[in-house]
Amino acid sequence: MTVVALLSVAPVTEGSMAGEVAKAVDALEGFDVRYETNPMGTVIEADDVGTVFAAAHAAHEAVDGDRVSTVLKIDDKRTVEGPAGEKVDAVEDHLGRPARGGE
Amino acid sequence: MTVVALLSVAPVTEGSMAGEVAKAVDALEGFDVRYETNPMGTVIEADDVGTVFAAAHAAHEAVDGDRVSTVLKIDDKRTVEGPAGEKVDAVEDHLGRPARGGE
Amino acid sequence: MTVVALLSVAPVTEGSMAGEVAKAVDALEGFDVRYETNPMGTVIEADDVGTVFAAAHAAHEAVDGDRVSTVLKIDDKRTVEGPAGEKVDAVEDHLGRPARGGE
Amino acid sequence: MTVVALLSVAPVTEGSMAGEVAKAVDALEGFDVRYETNPMGTVIEADDVGTVFAAAHAAHEAVDGDRVSTVLKIDDKRTVEGPAGEKVDAVEDHLGRPARGGE
């Protein structure tokens, strides 16, 4: 899969957002994507950018709230095949260590 | 740590960015932060937002290039303590499964 | 119109991006949106979030390049009507002056 | 000025954000920047990226709230001089019309 994106969908609410964020994550199941949630959003991989936009739209709609804030950041590498994880592998090759720290 | 952020720093270049991104990640070592890189950026946790801005600035400066593009998204929860991973745990509690799929 | 968004679409190229960005802006003409480009992206207003996602998708596809980077940030105020410009007006009411400076 | 950025700072609150956003905008007055607020954030120009990070930090700190969400997107063109408005001018040259519509 060649298109990688970061999707954050959240209701603007003073209470816990976790239940609504879970709905957004669950909506991704309806699409041909790989995804994994981190503390700042969900990384999505798909074969084409149309699938990414459709999945992001569905995730946005799945969240209830008077005001919903969404951020979608897409990296569309059109001439390269390969899983998103290779991007981290390449950085770690240069670092010579895992790309994490402070633990 | 209570401030969580997503930082993406990249040179605008047609070649591989991995070596420059590695410099940005390595610059985080100089700060009291926890961090972990994913395919769309690096999640950073710190005790205060000033540390996040300082670390992001250093990461940006560490990247060489005629044009450098940076995105910093901060979630500053000022009244709650707890690791960033708890945000994912809370979503998974609502989902009743890991917050990833399509693998 | 109640949904407001900021859309940035750009090819990752070392040359001038202006011609490709113009294609992305022009693609918005095919949708029922209001839009205005600023130095960091294009503010889009629409009556519903589906139109925003469709317009953003078309803008992304309109840009040629081996690698295209898109950022879409949506503020979906579902219970409030009113033009996006009112958001700036409200800030200026609090400031007691125009929300710009340094000129 | 050569560094251009888009800064959005907002408290996560169900009420009006305009008063707090105004504090963030006002904090920019303490820095050597040009800025103008649009419905999705404030475009900031400065001579160096350190000023942008410092101004964004001050704007973030100026906002009161239990939870504050900030997005900072920086375009650091290191080898080109010129006002940010030239970016829009160049797009309009390609379009052959103003980069806005739907009004």
Side-chain angles (χ1 to χ4, degrees), chain B residues 3-102:
Chain B
V3 185
V4 190
L6 187 284
L7 174 67
S8 163
V9 183
V12 179
T13 174
E14 289 152 32
S16 172
M17 300 173 179
E20 295 303 323
V21 172
K23 291 184 196 171
V25 172
D26 217 33
L28 302 177
E29 284 289 318
F31 298 86
D32 187 17
V33 297
R34 292 177 68 173
Y35 65 91
E36 180 165 359
T37 301
N38 65 56
M40 289 301 292
T42 298
V43 174
I44 300 174
E45 298 176 68
D47 281 330
D48 62 283
V49 78
T51 301
V52 169
F53 277 105
H57 181 197
H60 181 97
E61 299 276 17
V63 170
D64 288 318
D66 287 348
R67 190 172 186 174
V68 177
S69 179
T70 286
V71 176
L72 177 65
K73 184 173 188 291
I74 299 173
D75 182 16
D76 184 7
K77 299 174 82 165
R78 293 170 175 173
T79 61
V80 181
E81 290 280 339
E86 286 183 2
K87 292 175 71 173
V88 180
D89 294 343
V91 170
E92 294 186 333
D93 284 349
H94 282 273
L95 279 174
R97 60 175 178 84
R100 61 177 179 269

Side-chain angles (χ1 to χ4, degrees), chain C residues 4-83:
Chain C
V4 190
L6 188 284
L7 174 67
S8 163
V9 183
V12 180
T13 174
E14 288 152 35
S16 171
M17 299 172 179
E20 295 303 323
V21 173
K23 291 184 196 173
V25 172
D26 217 32
L28 302 177
E29 284 289 316
F31 298 87
D32 188 15
V33 297
R34 293 177 67 172
Y35 65 91
E36 181 166 358
T37 301
N38 65 56
M40 289 300 291
T42 298
V43 175
I44 301 174
E45 297 176 68
D47 282 330
D48 62 282
V49 79
T51 301
V52 170
F53 278 106
H57 181 196
H60 180 97
E61 297 277 17
V63 171
D64 288 318
D66 288 348
R67 189 171 187 173
V68 177
S69 179
T70 287
V71 177
L72 176 65
K73 184 173 188 291
I74 299 173
D75 181 17
D76 184 6
K77 298 174 82 165
R78 293 171 175 170
T79 60
V80 181
E81 290 281 339

